[in-house]
Amino acid sequence: LEREIGQRQQELERQRRLRDWLAQAKALEGQGRLAGTGEDNALWAYRQVLSLVPGHQEAARGIEGIRLRLLATASQKRAEGRPDEALSIVRDGLQGFPNEAALVQIEKELIAEREAMEAKRRLAELLRRADQRFAAQDFGESAGESLLGLLLEARRLDPRNPAVTERLGRLARHSAEGAKQALAGERLEESLALAEEGLKALPADTELQQVRERAQQALATRAARERE
């Protein structure tokens, strides 16, 4: 008899916990706390029900509903142009459904989109600072950066960007003119340095290659004379 009473009490306790977890799951689901880390979400509560009653239909339906709702909500936030919120929802979902292919794919796409947006923002900032230097005729290095460095970083972000290419060409022409003037004035080291800087902007530029070669030859000739 005592054993039957004990079993009955255990069953009553199990039923109580079952009711509590189902009620908690529905309440959390209604509050939009669907998934995430810890115990304060509907997914966790539904899974507690399944741990008590494997195959419990209401809990299984609840979990599937959460999965679909996470996907739909993340997609909606993304479509509304709210990628950070979408990514937060996706990552909460992956806490509960780590192998859900659709969530994994959305996360990858959102991260790629965020990186692309950041690269676009960074590119615009680099071009803005480069244009300030062009306007000020500041072609050297100051404040720990140079016009060439700004444009090379911009090219790394977007190698085919026409705005970057145009500015690199403008810088190369300035370097070529300076290199030719320095060469004509027999400032050979200056001429060579300017030609090499221009070639960093446009490595295949024929004019700059020719000026560099002439400066190198002139330096070699001068060095030979000094050795005599």
Side-chain angles (χ1 to χ4, degrees):
L1 181 60
E2 290 181 359
R3 183 179 178 182
E4 289 179 2
I5 293 173
Q7 290 175 341
R8 178 60 177 168
Q9 288 175 339
Q10 288 178 357
E11 176 60 22
L12 290 172
E13 175 61 19
R14 190 178 73 92
Q15 291 296 329
R16 184 193 64 77
R17 286 191 291 163
L18 185 66
R19 289 193 302 271
D20 289 348
W21 275 326
L22 276 173
Q24 181 181 353
K26 291 176 181 179
L28 291 168
E29 194 172 359
Q31 296 167 18
R33 291 148 72 179
L34 303 180
T37 58
E39 303 177 3
D40 194 22
N41 60 82
L43 182 60
W44 180 88
Y46 277 131
R47 284 179 171 163
Q48 298 312 300
V49 174
L50 287 178
S51 70
L52 278 180
V53 184
H56 191 282
Q57 290 187 3
E58 187 175 358
R61 285 195 302 270
I63 289 172
E64 177 62 9
I66 288 172
R67 185 186 72 83
L68 295 174
R69 187 172 166 187
L70 286 167
L71 285 169
T73 306
S75 297
Q76 179 182 349
K77 297 294 185 185
R78 184 183 183 186
E80 292 172 352
R82 298 154 76 180
D84 290 342
E85 292 181 41
L87 188 57
S88 177
I89 292 166
V90 166
R91 286 179 169 166
D92 278 349
L94 287 171
Q95 293 290 332
F97 303 97
N99 299 317
E100 176 58 46
L103 287 173
V104 171
Q105 182 61 31
I106 293 174
E107 182 187 38
K108 287 180 181 178
E109 292 173 359
L110 285 168
I111 290 173
E113 289 170 6
R114 185 167 67 180
E115 290 175 350
M117 289 178 62
E118 174 57 27
K120 186 176 180 180
R121 185 204 63 77
R122 176 62 177 163
L123 179 63
E125 172 62 16
L126 290 168
L127 291 178
R128 183 190 66 80
R129 282 154 54 188
D131 287 343
Q132 287 179 336
R133 287 178 177 265
F134 274 120
Q137 295 289 299
D138 183 2
F139 296 96
E141 182 170 336
S142 61
E145 67 181 19
S146 67
L147 177 55
L148 176 62
L150 292 170
L151 293 176
L152 290 179
E153 185 179 350
R155 183 167 66 186
R156 180 186 60 79
L157 288 172
D158 190 351
R160 298 183 179 180
N161 187 287
V164 176
T165 301
E166 184 275 329
R167 286 162 175 79
L168 283 168
R170 204 190 316 168
L171 177 59
R173 297 281 62 79
H174 175 270
S175 297
E177 290 303 314
K180 287 188 292 184
Q181 290 176 12
L183 185 62
E186 296 187 356
R187 300 189 308 277
L188 303 181
E189 290 85 359
E190 180 185 343
S191 177
L192 181 59
L194 284 167
E196 289 181 338
E197 180 177 83
L199 285 167
K200 290 177 183 176
L202 289 183
D205 188 88
T206 303
E207 183 181 24
L208 282 165
Q209 290 173 350
Q210 291 173 347
V211 175
R212 179 178 64 180
E213 185 177 351
R214 289 167 58 195
Q216 289 171 334
Q217 290 173 348
L219 283 167
T221 299
R222 187 180 69 182
R225 285 200 307 266
E226 291 172 351
R227 289 195 299 270
E228 293 176 355

